[in-house]
Amino acid sequence: ANDETTHIVIETISALARINKKVTADIPIEAANQILQLYRVYHSDPLIGQDIIDLFRLLSTIPKTVNALASTFIPYIADIINLHSKIGQDFKGMESLAHSFGTEKSSTVTQTDVLTLPNALDLLGILVKNCPLEDNYILIELLPKLLGLMSRTDDISVLLHGTGCLRTYVYKASPIIKKENLTKDVLTVVQKLLEPSTAEATAAHLGYAIINIFTKLSPKIETDVLMGVVNKIYKTKMPSILQSLILIFARLIHTHPDVILEFLSTTSLEARISLKVVLDKWLIQQPLFRGNYTRNVTFSALAKLFKLKDKRVETLLIVGFNPSHSNVNSEVLAPFKILSTLIRALDNEVTGKAQQEKKSQELTKVTPKYHTAGDELSERLDTLEGDDDDLDDDDDANGAIAVNLDELQDQEDEDDDDDEDDAAQGEDKFFNVKEGHDGGLGDYETGSEFYMSELLDFEIDEGDENEEVYEDDMIELGDEYADFLLIDFLKSFFEEMKEEELEYFNACVRYFTKE
C-alpha cells in the first residue's frame, strides 16, 4: 500500500473486525508492530491518522487482540511520557519538547514521535479502558507521570487529551488510585483545569472526570471544586464544553436538591449568585447538549427543579434569550424559562421522531431487505421565553403527543378568568413578576449567536455508534434518572402537570411571549 491506498486497507480491516471479531481475535505481535509503524508514519495525517486510532480503539475491545496491542504500544507510549518526565519543569509545550529532544533522547522514540504526545495519550486511555490492569501494571505506573505532566504544562492539546485519559483512569482504576494514595494528586490537577486562566478548550472531558471523581474517589464533595466548576461555567461559551460541567449540577439536583440549591443560592461570582450563573448558561445551551445520557439527566433535572417550586428558583431572574438573539430586557423568572425549554424539547423530540419514521418508511420502500431506524436529527431550536403554541393540532400526525398543552391552558382558563385578570394587573398567586433590567446578555454572552452554530465539535451525533465511547462511564453509573426515552419522559411530565399541577403550569404559561 502507498500513501493513497493505505487508508483503504485500514478501513477494510476495521470493517472486517466489525463484521466478525474472530477474524482479528488472534492478531500476533507482528501485526501489532505493523499498526504501530503505520501510526508513527501517519499520525499527523488527518484522514489516515484518525483511521488508525479508530482501528486501534476497535481492536482493543477484543480481549485476545488487546494483549498484543498492549505489549507493543505500552513501551512506546511510556517512552514518550518518560521523556516528558525527564525534561521536567522545562517542558511547557510541544515546541519546547522538540527543542529538548537532543539532550533527552530515548532509545525508541524519535523527534517526530515526541510530537505525537496528545494522540499517545488517547491511545493510553484506550488501553487503560480495555486492558486487565493487574496484568499491565505499568499503566498504573504511568499515572503519576501523567499527573505531573498535566500539572506543569499549559499546552491546550496535551491538557485536552490528558483530561480524557485521566477521566478513563478514574473510571477504570479508582481502587488502585486510592490504594496508591493518588487521589489528592488527581484533585490537584482538577483544580488547575478549573482555573479561569486554563483555556476553555481543554475542558471537554473535565465535567465527566469530576463526576467520576465524586462517584468513585471522593464521595465527600469538595465545595472549592464546585465553586471552581461554577467559575468555569461562567467563563465557558462552547456548548460542547459546557455540557459536562452542567451535568455535575444536574446530577446533584437529582441526588441532593436542597443541599445544592442552598450552595448555589448562598455563593456568588462577580456579583451574580451562583444559581443564576449556572441556570443562565444551562438554559441558553440546553438545546445543544449531545448524548443520550447527558440530555436525559439534564432535561429530567430541569423538570425536577420546576416541580420543586422552590422560592429560590421561583424568584430568580435569568436570561431569557429568544431566537432573535435580542439582548434587551430579556430576563424572565426561572420557572418560565425552564418550562418553555421543556415544551420546546418535547416539540423537538416529536418532530425528530416523525422525521425518522418518515425516512425509515421511504428507505424501506426502496430497499425492503434492510431496516434502518433513520438518523436524521430534529431541528435544534433555541429556547425562548414562551412557546406553547408550537405544539399544535398536527401533534397527532407527528407522533401522537399524549398531552395537548393548548388544552391544558383552555381548561384552566374556563375556571380561572379572574386570576388571569389579576395577573394582568401584576398580581399573581404564585409569582411576583418584575421586569428584568439586566440589559439581557450584554457582555456576559457576547457572540452567543456565533458559538451556538459554529463551535460544536464534541464528536458525538445522536444515534451515532460512537456515542458510547464518550458516555459509557456515565451510563455504567446506573443512574435511574437517566434510564428512559426522553420523549416518553417529557410526555409523562406534562401528563403529571395536567393531573396534579395544572394551576401552577398555567400560571407560568400565562407569561409566555408569543414569538
Side-chain angles (χ1 to χ4, degrees), residues 486-498:
L486 183 56
I487 188 171
D488 293 339
F489 170 83
L490 291 169
K491 288 181 180 180
S492 177
F493 167 79
F494 287 110
E495 283 283 8
E496 183 178 343
M497 289 296 101
K498 179 180 177 180

Side-chain angles (χ1 to χ4, degrees), residues 342-490:
L342 294 171
I343 291 173
R344 181 63 63 124
L346 179 57
D347 184 37
N348 284 349
E349 290 298 306
V350 171
T351 302
K353 182 179 179 181
Q355 291 174 344
Q356 289 176 3
E357 290 176 350
K358 181 179 179 181
K359 182 176 180 179
S360 178
Q361 291 171 358
E362 291 175 351
L363 291 176
T364 303
K365 292 178 182 178
V366 177
T367 55
K369 291 184 179 180
Y370 299 93
H371 171 74
T372 175
D375 60 358
E376 182 176 347
L377 300 181
S378 60
E379 180 184 1
R380 293 281 178 168
L381 301 176
D382 299 342
T383 56
L384 49 103
E385 294 173 34
D387 226 22
D388 58 319
D389 286 344
D390 284 341
L391 302 181
D392 54 24
D393 294 335
D394 291 333
D395 289 339
D396 290 337
N398 288 334
I401 293 182
V403 184
N404 187 322
L405 298 175
D406 291 330
E407 180 183 335
L408 289 178
Q409 180 69 61
D410 293 340
Q411 290 177 0
E412 180 67 8
D413 287 345
E414 291 177 2
D415 301 320
D416 209 21
D417 290 336
D418 292 337
D419 287 347
E420 187 176 65
D421 293 336
D422 290 340
Q425 299 173 8
E427 302 174 9
D428 189 280
K429 179 178 179 179
F430 297 101
F431 303 105
N432 181 17
V433 179
K434 298 178 181 179
E435 182 180 358
H437 297 287
D438 182 65
L441 298 172
D443 294 335
Y444 179 55
E445 286 295 296
T446 301
S448 57
E449 65 271 23
F450 169 73
Y451 66 70
M452 292 189 87
S453 58
E454 298 295 333
L455 296 181
L456 294 173
D457 186 21
F458 199 63
E459 300 180 15
I460 292 180
D461 290 320
E462 287 180 272
D464 192 287
E465 63 183 357
N466 291 325
E467 182 177 317
E468 186 179 355
V469 173
Y470 295 93
E471 289 196 312
D472 51 356
D473 53 344
M474 299 292 100
I475 293 170
E476 285 195 19
L477 294 175
D479 298 327
E480 62 180 15
Y481 46 79
D483 187 17
F484 52 77
L485 291 176
L486 183 56
I487 188 171
D488 293 339
F489 170 83
L490 291 169

Side-chain angles (χ1 to χ4, degrees), residues 272 276 280 319-321 326-331 436-445:
R272 297 173 185 264
K276 176 175 174 57
D280 273 345
V319 175
F321 194 66
S326 173
N327 272 8
V328 181
N329 293 328
S330 60
E331 286 194 331
H437 297 287
D438 182 65
L441 298 172
D443 294 335
Y444 179 55
E445 286 295 296

